[in-house]
Amino acid sequence: MTRPQSPHDIVTFMKKVVAAEARIPDTSIDEDKSFHQFGLDSISSIYLLEKVENEYNVTISPLYFWDYPTLRLLASQIFDENFRQP
Amino acid sequence: MNLWAPLDQENIRNPFPMYATLRREAPVYKSQTGEWIISRYADVKTILKDPRFRSGNKLEWINRGITYFKSKDQDLSAIASAITSFLLLINPPEHTRIRKLITSVWNDREVDQTILENVDSLLNIKSEDNTFDIVEDFARPLPNMTICKIMGISMEHYQHLTTLSNNLVKILNLYNSFKDLVRIDSAARDFISFFRELLDIKKQRPDNDLISKLIVANASEREPLSDDALISVFIFLFIAGQETTIGLVSTSLLTLSKYPSQLNTLAGNPELMPNAIDELLRYDGPVHLLGRIASENIELGGHCIKQNDTVTLCLASANRDSRHFENADILDITRQPNRHLAFGSGIHFCLGDWLAKRQGALAIQRFLEVYPTYSIVDHTLQWNDNLSIRTLKHLSCRV
Ligand code: HEM
């Protein structure tokens, strides 16, 4: 379990997961593109969210994948909800 | 802004404002997930009656999910095998065949005795401080005890099966996490092995219960169902009336407590009960959402629903549609006619509606007799995080 210092840390972690899923290098992943554009769907989303949940010991609503449909938006939401200092 | 936020805590507590906005502003709404959200009475009913909208998007989805997760070394295959013959997920001609098989043997509607015995045994347990949790102490055990009796399952198993049932029914949720799927799979596995054992016993020594009758009737079919399919039918008959009846009994007692004068009328005039049950089902029935999948491109309300698009039908919203019901947001236990959609419509219309209504009526009637002055003490009500079947976690009352 790790504690992210910023949303960027979460983006970096998710990039690795998405890259492995989409079989592309993580450097080529644009965090403002929608998950759809990488070929992620309602099934692989479950896998992605599970990985993030386990990495940071958080719980993520399954709908967040659609409500925050890019790496940047999702990472910010997860960070704000769980790790932002008041 | 997304008009569709079914997991939002505010909407979990009270989804009716979200439904009202959808009905008013976007009755055929393409949500962020790609599915269409249908919220008006006329549209929901039309789709339920239209064979081009098929059931079973869940089955397809889970089969794709199983393949996917196999590549991650996670086996979820028990889920598929448990739900493969769930009536509400399958289509004609298979659906017609299995539905006929069940209705051909499920003709014994003399359940009052069983229900009343169960109700009374539960209402007799009262805590020292005169509080009573309507969900845990009453609504939750009741349907389970009754269906065990109907199906010929010994009561010693009922605790275990309640837990399994709670977990497996989550497969009908719209959105599940990975941890949910793992729990669902484990419940599916246990259910299958339980019913496989029971199947073998009842095959040897058929009795006068629903499972035995299904086994016997199936054996004389021209093309009998496989054991696996039969087991899936049993599982569905077992769970279909659990969470739903829990919701009917507990949510209704909550609703009635908010309408004291109607509650009084009802307590004094039990003959109003059947009508009241229908109104309580309309006002806040337990099944809020159903899914269908479009088998071809279909025009609806100026939108083109594409082949393979998923549609989510908001029954609970349709039941509050003022285009169809006068004073739709107000409970009226004398409302007539009351063609609510709480049990669906069309070929998948609830097969247990009579049992649900009878059990609901007897449970509420006896409850009001035994605890005529009950008052709800839960001020912040906790609802389960699931709008598909909407139920309270607890409902404490003083009796
Ligand atoms: C208040 C309680 C209940 C409610 C609100 C309810 C609601 C529903 C609804 C809305 C459907 C239609 C699903 C669809 O169209 O996709 C359905 C189907 C079904 N229900 Fe119920 N139900 C209740 C209790 C029960 C009980 C007690 C049983 C008995 C075992 C039962 C057995 C079934 C079965 C077998 C189906 C599938 C029918 C088919 O697909 O042909 N239900 N129910």
Side-chain angles (χ1 to χ4, degrees):
Chain A
M1 205 225 324
T2 42
R3 192 187 165 84
Q5 297 308 310
S6 67
H8 182 74
D9 287 355
I10 304 179
V11 168
T12 308
F13 176 75
M14 286 199 290
K15 271 188 181 172
K16 277 195 230 138
V17 181
V18 173
E21 278 301 292
R23 296 172 207 278
I24 48 175
D26 40 349
T27 46
S28 70
I29 290 179
D30 177 347
E31 60 207 65
D32 290 316
K33 270 197 182 167
S34 80
F35 292 122
H36 258 85
Q37 289 170 287
F38 302 114
L40 267 65
D41 64 5
S42 64
I43 291 170
S44 36
S45 78
I46 293 182
Y47 177 69
L48 171 69
L49 297 185
E50 167 73 6
K51 287 279 180 199
V52 180
E53 283 192 343
N54 292 345
E55 177 74 8
Y56 300 114
N57 194 27
V58 293
T59 304
I60 306 171
S61 158
L63 259 194
Y64 278 8
F65 180 75
W66 288 278
D67 288 341
Y68 306 97
T70 69
L71 286 162
R72 187 196 300 277
L73 290 170
L74 181 58
S76 303
Q77 176 62 24
I78 294 168
F79 189 81
D80 290 351
E81 202 171 296
N82 300 286
F83 304 107
R84 173 85 55 202
Q85 306 289 348
Chain B
M1 208 192 71
N2 290 332
L3 297 183
W4 181 238
L7 298 181
D8 179 273
Q9 281 310 311
E10 203 58 47
N11 292 332
I12 293 284
R13 268 195 295 280
N14 177 12
F16 292 99
M18 172 175 77
Y19 296 154
T21 307
L22 283 163
R23 282 198 305 277
R24 193 176 55 240
E25 291 177 17
V28 178
Y29 178 67
K30 178 101 172 175
S31 76
Q32 67 276 29
T33 60
E35 76 204 279
W36 295 90
I37 312 298
I38 315 294
S39 49
R40 286 191 184 166
Y41 184 95
D43 292 331
V44 170
K45 187 149 188 177
T46 302
I47 292 178
L48 285 171
K49 298 252 189 208
D50 184 339
R52 294 174 302 169
F53 287 97
R54 293 164 62 82
S55 292
N57 47 315
K58 203 83 214 181
L59 260 177
E60 285 171 27
W61 186 88
I62 208 63
N63 281 322
R64 280 195 293 125
I66 287 167
T67 311
Y68 174 85
F69 281 106
K70 209 181 253 164
S71 72
K72 312 279 181 223
D73 286 330
Q74 181 72 42
D75 180 10
L76 299 174
S77 57
I79 303 180
S81 119
I83 70 177
T84 179
S85 298
F86 274 21
L87 265 192
L88 89 160
L89 300 180
I90 60 180
N91 294 288
E94 196 193 0
H95 171 265
T96 323
R97 187 157 75 103
I98 298 185
R99 187 155 170 135
K100 262 206 194 112
L101 175 70
I102 298 172
T103 47
S104 75
V105 296
W106 200 4
N107 45 17
D108 175 13
R109 300 200 166 183
E110 301 298 313
V111 287
D112 284 17
Q113 190 61 30
T114 305
I115 295 173
L116 280 173
E117 275 168 27
N118 294 339
V119 166
D120 284 338
S121 78
L122 291 167
L123 290 179
N124 278 334
I125 313 165
K126 190 154 99 175
S127 73
E128 312 244 300
D129 57 353
N130 285 348
T131 60
F132 188 86
D133 183 343
I134 291 175
V135 175
E136 283 306 317
D137 299 338
F138 187 43
R140 181 172 297 288
L142 176 63
N144 213 323
M145 292 160 77
T146 304
I147 200 73
C148 278
K149 181 80 195 245
I150 292 174
M151 294 182 79
I153 299 168
S154 144
M155 283 300 283
E156 72 197 89
H157 300 296
Y158 113 92
Q159 283 289 356
H160 175 55
L161 294 179
T162 306
T163 315
L164 295 186
S165 177
N166 287 344
N167 284 331
L168 187 63
V169 76
K170 297 207 170 86
I171 195 59
L172 302 179
N173 290 6
L174 283 186
Y175 317 101
N176 278 309
S177 71
F178 182 74
K179 294 178 185 72
D180 293 328
L181 291 178
V182 172
R183 260 194 301 274
I184 294 168
D185 183 73
S186 148
R189 227 165 270 281
D190 289 357
F191 251 129
I192 291 170
S193 75
F194 176 82
F195 276 116
R196 193 178 300 286
E197 216 170 283
L198 196 63
L199 177 70
D200 289 338
I201 297 173
K202 304 255 178 200
K203 261 186 189 167
Q204 301 296 321
R205 267 182 289 123
D207 209 335
N208 196 28
D209 53 65
L210 183 55
I211 288 194
S212 299
K213 289 181 189 167
L214 282 168
I215 293 171
V216 172
N218 182 54
S220 60
E221 291 272 295
R222 211 152 36 89
E223 285 173 68
L225 299 173
S226 67
D227 282 359
D228 287 350
L230 259 189
I231 287 168
S232 173
V233 170
F234 299 160
I235 295 176
F236 189 60
L237 286 174
F238 189 87
I239 68 170
Q242 298 302 319
E243 213 51 33
T244 46
T245 304
I246 296 168
L248 172 60
V249 172
S250 53
T251 308
S252 296
L253 285 169
L254 171 65
T255 303
L256 285 170
S257 75
K258 294 180 184 161
Y259 287 89
S261 73
Q262 295 193 54
L263 174 61
N264 259 333
T265 311
L266 185 59
N269 303 275
E271 73 281 2
L272 286 177
M273 193 53 88
N275 209 70
I277 291 287
D278 271 314
E279 175 64 350
L280 290 159
L281 282 162
R282 181 198 71 83
Y283 184 84
D284 195 354
V287 180
H288 277 216
L289 310 173
L290 292 179
R292 292 291 189 269
I293 185 163
S295 63
E296 53 189 84
N297 292 352
I298 298 166
E299 254 320 284
L300 185 82
H303 299 268
C304 175
I305 296 181
K306 296 238 161 57
Q307 183 175 18
N308 293 328
D309 278 0
T310 303
V311 296
T312 294
L313 309 173
C314 300
L315 299 184
S317 169
N319 284 339
R320 293 285 191 100
D321 189 345
S322 55
R323 288 159 202 82
H324 188 84
F325 296 101
E326 238 173 80
N327 296 323
D329 281 325
I330 293 173
L331 184 83
D332 173 6
I333 58 168
T334 63
R335 186 183 294 273
Q336 252 172 4
N338 188 351
R339 296 192 198 295
H340 63 75
L341 297 175
F343 290 119
S345 183
I347 63 165
H348 291 281
F349 184 85
C350 180
L351 199 59
D353 66 319
W354 57 277
L355 174 59
K357 288 197 214 185
R358 196 67 195 139
Q359 183 143 259
L362 291 172
I364 292 170
Q365 190 176 319
R366 286 295 290 149
F367 184 89
L368 297 181
E369 281 165 25
V370 178
Y371 302 130
T373 58
Y374 80 104
S375 65
I376 305 298
V377 292
D378 257 337
H379 293 298
T380 48
L381 295 171
Q382 298 246 334
W383 295 86
N384 285 307
D385 277 356
N386 170 28
L387 283 192
S388 298
I389 304 178
R390 183 164 183 261
T391 51
L392 286 157
K393 284 185 182 156
H394 296 283
L395 183 62
S396 289
C397 68
R398 195 160 292 121
V399 294

